[in-house]
Amino acid sequence: MNSIVNAIERKREEMIHLAQDIGLSAIETVQCSQELDHLLNLYQHDKFTKQPFHQTRRIR
């Protein structure tokens, strides 16, 4: 679970830098935000079901 938390933090930092450099509505920032959403969904699923997401659903 710690590795997903690290991935979330890295992705969050990346998104913040993209937003500051190229703007909130830039496609790169939006894509990064979607990737962060996906990581957060994985984390939430793992935390609340106590079963790793990859065991119940295929990761894209």
Side-chain angles (χ1 to χ4, degrees), residues 1 4 7-11 15 17 20 23 25 27 31 35-38 42 44 50-52 54-56:
M1 184 89 91
I4 195 160
I8 289 169
E9 288 302 319
R10 285 191 309 270
K11 188 57 70 175
M15 188 184 71
H17 290 294
Q20 290 173 340
S25 60
I27 190 69
Q31 286 173 339
E35 292 168 6
L36 176 58
D37 288 344
H38 180 70
L42 291 175
Q44 183 176 14
K50 310 247 189 247
Q51 181 177 10
H54 68 275
Q55 290 181 359
T56 60

Side-chain angles (χ1 to χ4, degrees), residues 1 4-5 8 39-54 56:
M1 184 89 91
I4 195 160
V5 171
I8 289 169
L39 289 171
L40 290 167
N41 289 337
L42 291 175
Y43 175 78
Q44 183 176 14
H45 182 274
D46 288 356
K47 184 173 180 172
F48 291 108
T49 64
K50 310 247 189 247
Q51 181 177 10
F53 190 76
H54 68 275
T56 60

